[in-house]
Amino acid sequence: QQQVKQSPQSLIVQKGGISIINCAYENTAFDYFPWYQQFPGKGPALLIAIRPDVSEKKEGRFTISFNKSAKQFSLHIMDSQPGDSATYFCAAEGAGSYQLTFGKGTKLSVIP
Amino acid sequence: KAGVTQTPRYLIKTRGQQVTLSCSPISGHRSVSWYQQTPGQGLQFLFEYFSETQRNKGNFPGRFSGRQFSNSRSEMNVSTLELGDSALYLCASRSTVGGYTFGSGTRLTVV
């Protein structure tokens, strides 16, 4: 059972555009929602994370929007750059579970 | 500050053999987790250790095992390797208040 559904699988965005990746979860016990960026040959790197007590969090060009009632959260990358081309994963963790449940990933390509 | 170190980076093994992968967490981090990454299944949780105790285990067969030492370094072992065990194995360490920091992984190929 896939507990975190991520879409789209792939995304092509023009340089300077906005990249939007969406995730939906089923388990209401999740209370920590991070986004990871992974380049080929590297491990995932934490980009930004949010807890359900806030609806939005912004760090530089990256913003998480969180909708608790809909059990959805999304990553917005403003002013997308070719260097942002990577695979992005959403994840969720329940309190005391000590494990991340990941979405299947979105391969982002930012074209000049 | 050194990151999470995983060794070896690449490994080729034959079906039926066993393998041991190593992970050194960030200094001061006592929690170490292991994940398997494959193109088909994505990132899947294997197990998590804290102060030498396994606190959680994912849905993997008993051929997959792990342990953590008193210095927080961790190893995972896969016995009786199958072709389907070919994957990138990722280790992550975590402080008591921070997020997970992943290593670059060990690429295991089973032939």
Side-chain angles (χ1 to χ4, degrees):
Chain A
Q1 181 187 12
Q2 185 186 352
Q3 295 192 50
V4 179
K5 293 184 179 179
Q6 182 172 346
S7 63
Q9 278 188 307
S10 62
L11 183 61
I12 299 174
V13 173
Q14 290 271 359
K15 178 183 174 182
I18 302 173
S19 303
I20 301 173
I21 304 170
N22 301 299
C23 283
Y25 63 97
E26 300 164 3
N27 188 346
T28 54
F30 289 148
D31 72 345
Y32 174 69
F33 302 88
W35 284 89
Y36 285 85
Q37 178 190 58
Q38 186 176 29
F39 293 104
K42 298 290 187 182
L46 178 64
L47 263 180
I48 185 172
I50 198 168
R51 293 197 181 270
D53 52 343
V54 297
S55 60
E56 187 174 281
K57 183 176 181 180
K58 183 178 181 179
E59 289 185 1
R61 296 185 295 111
F62 301 93
T63 300
I64 298 179
S65 296
F66 187 84
N67 185 329
K68 187 175 181 179
S69 60
K71 292 187 285 186
Q72 295 175 346
F73 58 111
S74 61
L75 176 69
H76 295 229
I77 306 174
M78 313 300 287
D79 187 27
S80 298
Q81 298 297 312
D84 297 331
S85 297
T87 300
Y88 292 80
F89 294 93
C90 63
E93 181 186 33
S97 72
Y98 313 115
Q99 75 172 80
L100 290 169
T101 299
F102 284 88
K104 292 289 191 184
T106 297
K107 186 173 182 180
L108 171 65
S109 299
V110 181
I111 55 177
Chain B
K1 194 174 187 180
V4 178
T5 303
Q6 291 189 246
T7 56
R9 286 298 310 277
Y10 302 93
L11 209 48
I12 300 175
K13 289 287 188 179
T14 304
R15 271 182 302 173
Q17 287 187 314
Q18 76 165 20
V19 67
T20 299
L21 312 181
S22 180
C23 172
S24 293
I26 291 172
S27 178
H29 287 194
R30 294 162 64 189
S31 168
V32 175
S33 306
W34 289 88
Y35 289 80
Q36 181 196 64
Q37 185 173 26
T38 59
Q41 297 300 315
L43 283 147
Q44 293 188 290
F45 171 75
L46 281 156
F47 23 67
E48 189 265 359
Y49 288 88
F50 181 85
S51 293
E52 303 178 67
T53 299
Q54 186 182 88
R55 295 194 294 189
N56 197 3
K57 186 178 190 300
N59 189 26
F60 278 83
R63 301 184 296 108
F64 291 81
S65 63
R67 60 178 176 169
Q68 186 181 34
F69 301 96
S70 58
N71 62 358
S72 294
R73 191 177 70 85
S74 178
E75 290 181 347
M76 68 162 282
N77 182 278
V78 188
S79 62
T80 320
L81 283 166
E82 301 177 359
L83 294 178
D85 297 333
S86 295
L88 180 67
Y89 289 89
L90 292 160
C91 169
S93 76
R94 189 182 198 185
S95 68
T96 51
V97 295
Y100 294 87
T101 301
F102 283 83
S104 292
T106 294
R107 173 74 62 186
L108 171 65
T109 302
V110 182
V111 298

